[in-house]
């Protein structure tokens, strides 16, 4: 089940006269004519509990809020708000605290006049969504996260959108600089750890109950092998399919644009392979007593692997000694090496099964009414 991870929304009040809300008011004057241009306001950042932030801005006509309503006033957002109405309710509470009118639903749409030669624009009488992120969690099994992400990174999705696998293997995205949409897969446990480390570097005082809860979340994500799928739908796509009109669209209208990863997962077969060096396999199987003996036998194995005839290189006793050691782990240096028949460092291979991640009983699901009673302050 998808839920909303980030939402940018705005609404114009053409009658004007709304209070200015932001960090700075910017007055502009045309240097050639001396004419005073419309006043602009930059965004104001507000901070709630657990270092959560949203931005708000009003220039007297346009009201705009940006942020993650599922994360607002919460310790995490492993699971979030599923409907637009819930997200807008969070934002409307903040608008009310600043003396601004609430975001309203569109009840009618009409074509606005545009300069000659340009296509007319469809506008509504309510709030406009300019960007929205939809996300869902997948359970791929403990330790399989990087193998799954690496496997998916071998495929293009959509209309030729190429993958970008990050060096650490924990994140892959498609269409990073796109004005249309960006799709991402990432290891959720790693992301939670990075956020926790960031808070610790700030030397923020982390309450014991919050720290315990976050550690439980990290452990849960590691045990289940949680990979998050995220779709960032940008303004160009929203306008192309008329998805920007809050109230005139429902959550199911976005689903057709969130299927690319699901389609790719149905066509690809991904396995998780565990590899171990020959030396460590020999030690684990008790074929040798010391690491030095293991490394010596491994060096002769490497020569055999590259085509060297060890019978011509070693005495009979040495050859059979190393042959006996290697046979314990299933390698016979008395035969010619055949790469198509043997992968000597492969310890175990298993097909990755993808499941929907269930909500644990102890998880604190978002409740809008609870978020709206918590205080917040201006951050910048």
């Amino acid at each position: 089940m998808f839920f909303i991870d980030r939402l940018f929304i705005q609404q114009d009040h053409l009658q004007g006269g709304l209070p200015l809300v932001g960090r700075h008011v910017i007055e502009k004057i045309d240097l050639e004519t001396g004419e005073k241009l419309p006043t602009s306001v930059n965004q104001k950042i507000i901070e709630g509990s657990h270092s959560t932030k949203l931005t708000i801005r009003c220039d007297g006509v346009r009201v705009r809020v940006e942020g993650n309503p599922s994360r607002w006033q919460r310790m995490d957002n492993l699971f979030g708000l599923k409907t637009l109405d819930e997200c807008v309710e969070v934002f409307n509470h903040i608008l009310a605290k600043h003396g601004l009118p609430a975001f309203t639903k569109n009840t009618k749409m009409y074509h606005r006049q545009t300069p000659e030669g340009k296509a007319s624009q469809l506008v509504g009488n309510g709030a406009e969504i300019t960007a929205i992120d939809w996300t869902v969690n997948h359970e791929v099994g403990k330790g399989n996260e990087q193998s799954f992400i690496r496997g998916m990174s071998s495929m293009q999705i959509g209309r030729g959108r190429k993958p970008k696998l990050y060096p650490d293997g924990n994140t892959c995205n498609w269409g990073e600089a796109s004005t249309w949409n960006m799709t991402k897969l990432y290891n959720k446990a790693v992301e939670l750890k990075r956020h926790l480390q960031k808070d610790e570097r700030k030397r923020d005082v982390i309450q014991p109950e919050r720290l315990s809860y976050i550690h439980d979340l990290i452990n849960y994500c590691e045990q289940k092998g949680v990979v998050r799928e995220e779709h960032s739908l940008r303004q160009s796509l929203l306008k192309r399919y008329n998805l920007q009109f809050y109230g005139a669209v429902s959550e199911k209208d976005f689903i057709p644009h969130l299927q690319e990863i699901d389609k790719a997962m149905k066509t690809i077969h991904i396995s998780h392979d565990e590899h171990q060096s020959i030396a460590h396999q020999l030690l684990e199987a008790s074929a040798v007593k010391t690491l030095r003996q293991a490394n010596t036998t491994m060096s002769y194995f490497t020569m055999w692997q590259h085509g060297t005839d060890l019978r011509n290189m070693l005495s009979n006793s040495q050859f059979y000694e190393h042959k006996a050691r290697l046979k314990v782990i299933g390698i016979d240096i008395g035969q010619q090496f055949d790469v198509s028949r043997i992968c000597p460092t492969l310890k175990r291979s298993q097909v990755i099964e993808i499941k929907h991640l269930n909500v644990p009983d102890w998880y604190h699901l978002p409740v809008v009414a609870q978020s709206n009673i918590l205080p917040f302050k201006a951050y910048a």
Side-chain angles (χ1 to χ4, degrees), residues 21 48 52 97 162 193 204 227 243 262 272 307 314 350 353:
V21 177
T52 55
K97 292 292 186 179
K162 296 181 179 180
K193 287 179 180 179
D204 291 345
V227 172
L243 295 172
D262 187 58
H272 173 66
L314 301 172
Q350 65 184 60
E353 182 182 356

Side-chain angles (χ1 to χ4, degrees), residues 29-37:
I29 298 176
D30 190 310
L31 293 178
E32 291 187 359
T33 64
E35 179 185 2
K36 186 176 179 180
L37 301 176

Side-chain angles (χ1 to χ4, degrees), residues 234-251:
R234 310 281 168 78
Q235 191 171 26
S236 298
L237 182 146
L238 297 175
K239 286 190 173 183
R240 171 64 179 81
Y241 295 101
N242 294 328
L243 295 172
Q244 74 269 40
F245 301 113
Y246 169 60
V249 295
S250 65
E251 290 74 26

Side-chain angles (χ1 to χ4, degrees), residues 95-135:
L95 294 180
K97 292 292 186 179
H98 287 83
L100 297 172
F103 291 126
T104 59
K105 295 184 177 182
N106 288 274
T107 56
K108 62 179 180 179
M109 276 73 74
Y110 56 92
H111 285 272
R112 181 168 59 191
Q113 187 176 1
T114 55
E116 187 176 350
K118 291 189 176 182
S120 63
Q121 291 182 345
L122 187 64
V123 296
N125 63 345
E128 176 189 358
I129 301 168
T130 60
I132 185 170
D133 288 6
W134 291 91
T135 189

Side-chain angles (χ1 to χ4, degrees), residues 203-237:
R203 297 183 180 178
D204 291 345
V205 178
I206 305 174
Q207 297 176 343
E209 59 270 20
R210 181 193 171 197
L211 189 61
S212 175
Y213 181 74
I214 295 299
H215 280 304
D216 287 343
L217 272 180
I218 292 172
N219 291 334
Y220 179 75
C221 290
E222 288 179 336
Q223 291 298 318
K224 297 293 184 180
V226 178
V227 172
R228 170 163 285 189
E229 172 188 340
E230 191 173 281
H231 299 264
S232 299
L233 307 185
R234 310 281 168 78
Q235 191 171 26
S236 298
L237 182 146

Side-chain angles (χ1 to χ4, degrees), residues 57-74:
R57 175 168 50 195
C58 177
D59 61 4
V61 175
R62 172 171 290 178
V63 178
R64 181 176 176 88
V65 180
E66 301 177 359
N68 188 340
S70 290
R71 178 73 171 85
W72 178 244
Q73 304 281 33
R74 297 179 63 211

Side-chain angles (χ1 to χ4, degrees), residues 132-150:
I132 185 170
D133 288 6
W134 291 91
T135 189
V136 67
N137 299 311
H138 299 294
E139 178 185 337
V140 300
K142 183 178 180 180
N144 294 341
E145 300 94 334
Q146 287 187 326
S147 295
F148 174 73
I149 293 170
R150 192 181 305 112

